[in-house]
Amino acid sequence: MATASAPESSLLSLLYRSYPTAISPDATELDLAHATPKIFPHSSYSDAEKADVKQWLDDIRGLTTALGKGDQHVTDTILGNINQHLSTRTTLLGTKPSIADIAAYAVLGPVVEGWDAEKRTGEKGYHYIVRHVDFVQNGSLFALQIPDEEKVAIDLDDIRFVPKAADPKEEKERKKKEKAEALTAGQEKTLVVGQTKGKKEKDAVHEAPETTAEEAPAASKRDKEKKEKKEKKEKQPKAPAAPAAPPSPSLIDLRVGHILRAVNHPNADSLYVSTIDCGDAPGSDNTSVDEATGKTVRTVCSGLNGLVPLEEMQNRKVVVVCNLKPVTMRGIKSAAMVLAASPKVAEGEDSHAGPVELASPPADAPAGERVFFEGWSTGEPEKQLNPKKKVWETFQPGFTTTDSLEVAFDSTQVPILQGGESSTTPAAGAVGKLVTKSGGVVTVKTLKGATVR
């Protein structure tokens, strides 16, 4: 039987046995988030790696909860994420050991033990999770003290399907090579034709089939049509390139959103999962149909848990950013972002400590109504912002609140808009209020001079 049949108690027992100098046998609870440096003192960990460990521990707790509730959808989602992550890594951090690997083993061990060979290493199996479990329980990197009879039995020779991950670099080189070979072949063909043309032109004339009197008119017509088609194709002018849209916050798709309901994220303590009507047409990308209301909605994850009370996230109007690239946050795909204000902080300070207030449009504004900054209403938002162009990152520093508690855009905070004669700042002024298409103003409760994102 695997060590992790009861994850919490088994994990404690396993750590006591394996790392007696790092884990006190008198401890009844573990601060897992800070246990890694004690257990692996010869490895150093950056702040980013420590944060990754904490988040993986959250995921593993989420998996434990899902397994306990028998929630197969959440279980499959988390297992898929872990398996994909491990497909290019030896440990959850890449190559360094951490408490997250051991905690994962404590939960995944008995799960893997119950899988048949097809689920372990079949075409749709969790190959990398199985490999990780075997590595953690046997690897000298972790040096876990587990009796052989308690280890998960894994037959390393029973591989039903060998997945081959595509290497992006190799794929690029392959396509480049094929293109070069095709180009070379084309040049060689042209060269051969050129070399033989003069020598065999006379013979070619004699070898050509004769055209009868009956076939001559049809052949002449075909030649004429071919010539006209070629001339028409050659004379067709190229379409002029579309002019680039001027830099403007109007490229960002801001809309009124109606939060139908919000719940705690099952796998992350800092996130809410909201069901929001953004006015999308049925069947639009990144939407679904809400079973309770029949409305077309988006699922949105927001890091507001602990900053905005959950009851304030129910049945209310908000402003949403609808053309950011969707991202998967702890196993749930998020297709928009809720705008909220928080005090500006000095560089290096915690920008998520609060207080946080939601940007609120008028309560009677319909879901999907366009929202824009005064003076920046011209132009249509892009369907989806290209992350490489960093449109959101460019203009967000100008999102602020006024002394009148109105959400506004301060163009002086956006360097790209400060260019003398080339500046596109409206003549009306540097600061424009955030308004709905029908004229309502977006406001916050109390925060003045805040940052909005």
Side-chain angles (χ1 to χ4, degrees):
M1 183 64 181
T3 303
S5 56
E8 293 297 331
S9 60
S10 295
L11 179 58
L12 283 169
S13 176
L14 176 60
L15 293 173
Y16 295 154
R17 281 186 292 169
S18 304
Y19 313 108
T21 60
I23 306 299
S24 170
D26 299 326
T28 57
E29 294 184 3
L30 279 176
D31 180 7
L32 295 181
H34 299 91
T36 297
K38 298 177 182 178
I39 296 174
F40 306 105
H42 300 297
S43 297
S44 59
Y45 300 87
S46 66
D47 290 341
E49 288 171 331
K50 292 175 183 177
D52 283 345
V53 169
K54 184 177 182 301
Q55 294 195 351
W56 278 115
L57 289 172
D58 288 341
D59 281 1
I60 294 161
R61 292 189 188 98
L63 177 60
T64 303
T65 301
L67 289 168
K69 293 180 178 179
D71 191 332
Q72 196 61 44
H73 175 70
V74 174
T75 298
D76 290 345
T77 299
I78 299 175
L79 288 176
N81 290 341
I82 295 174
N83 193 64
Q84 179 63 33
H85 181 79
L86 289 171
S87 66
T88 56
R89 297 165 177 84
T90 303
T91 68
L92 290 173
L93 290 183
T95 57
K96 294 180 182 178
S98 73
I99 187 65
D101 293 290
I102 303 173
Y105 171 76
V107 176
L108 293 171
V111 175
V112 172
E113 190 172 60
W115 287 344
D116 58 19
E118 190 64 28
K119 193 160 187 176
R120 290 187 181 193
T121 60
E123 185 172 357
K124 296 182 180 180
Y126 297 99
H127 300 71
Y128 306 107
I129 287 179
V130 174
R131 185 261 300 156
H132 182 260
V133 166
D134 186 66
F135 176 67
V136 172
Q137 68 181 2
N138 293 310
S140 59
L141 185 65
F142 295 93
L144 295 178
Q145 300 302 307
I146 306 174
D148 289 342
E149 64 271 17
E150 292 185 7
K151 292 181 179 180
V152 181
I154 296 175
D155 185 352
L156 299 179
D157 295 323
D158 188 4
I159 307 297
R160 301 299 175 92
F161 177 82
V162 180
K164 184 178 180 182
D167 186 328
K169 186 176 180 181
E170 290 181 0
E171 186 70 5
K172 186 176 180 181
E173 289 297 324
R174 182 185 65 78
K175 290 182 178 180
K176 185 177 179 182
K177 184 178 179 180
E178 288 179 353
K179 186 175 180 181
E181 289 175 349
L183 182 61
T184 302
Q187 291 173 340
E188 290 175 352
K189 184 176 181 181
T190 302
L191 179 61
V192 170
V193 172
Q195 288 174 339
T196 59
K197 184 178 179 181
K199 181 178 179 181
K200 296 186 178 180
E201 186 173 12
K202 185 176 180 180
D203 294 336
V205 172
H206 291 291
E207 292 170 1
E210 295 182 358
T211 303
T212 65
E214 292 81 3
E215 294 172 338
S220 176
K221 184 178 180 180
R222 287 196 300 270
D223 292 342
K224 184 178 180 181
E225 289 176 350
K226 187 175 181 180
K227 183 178 180 181
E228 289 176 351
K229 186 175 180 180
K230 182 177 180 181
E231 289 176 351
K232 185 177 180 180
K233 185 176 180 181
E234 290 175 348
K235 292 179 181 179
Q236 187 175 3
K238 291 184 179 180
S248 168
S250 65
L251 296 174
I252 300 170
D253 187 2
L254 299 172
R255 304 184 208 169
V256 174
H258 179 198
I259 300 181
L260 303 182
R261 70 192 69 86
V263 297
N264 294 316
H265 194 297
N267 307 320
D269 294 339
S270 64
L271 299 178
Y272 288 138
V273 181
S274 302
T275 300
I276 305 181
D277 177 5
C278 300
D280 294 289
S284 299
D285 292 343
N286 306 312
T287 66
S288 60
V289 177
D290 180 49
E291 293 183 0
T293 63
K295 294 182 178 181
T296 298
V297 296
R298 298 189 184 204
T299 299
V300 180
C301 297
S302 52
L304 299 172
N305 196 339
L307 300 173
V308 175
L310 185 58
E311 55 267 24
E312 289 189 21
M313 299 288 291
Q314 311 299 326
N315 190 28
R316 64 162 296 156
K317 299 293 176 62
V318 289
V319 176
V320 285
V321 184
C322 290
N323 60 344
L324 296 174
K325 185 177 181 180
V327 294
T328 299
M329 303 176 72
R330 293 291 171 263
I332 296 178
K333 184 179 180 181
S334 178
M337 184 175 72
V338 177
L339 276 191
S342 59
K344 292 183 179 179
V345 297
E347 186 176 353
E349 293 184 11
D350 182 6
S351 61
H352 300 285
V356 172
E357 296 177 356
L358 296 173
S360 300
D364 59 352
E369 183 176 9
R370 187 182 175 191
V371 182
F372 56 85
F373 294 102
E374 289 181 334
W376 301 93
S377 60
T378 58
E380 290 297 318
E382 294 187 356
K383 183 176 181 180
Q384 181 173 296
L385 298 178
N386 185 341
K388 294 181 179 180
K389 294 183 178 180
K390 297 189 179 299
V391 174
W392 169 254
E393 292 82 356
T394 297
F395 293 105
Q396 184 277 323
F399 288 30
T400 186
T401 58
T402 67
D403 290 341
S404 301
L405 303 179
E406 300 157 330
V407 178
F409 178 69
D410 182 358
S411 63
T412 64
Q413 301 304 307
V414 180
I416 195 174
L417 300 178
Q418 312 307 310
E421 295 181 358
S422 63
S423 173
T424 57
T425 301
V431 179
K433 293 183 291 185
L434 186 61
V435 297
T436 62
K437 189 175 181 180
S438 56
V441 181
V442 179
T443 61
V444 294
K445 287 183 178 179
T446 65
L447 295 174
K448 301 178 181 180
T451 186
V452 179
R453 57 176 175 266

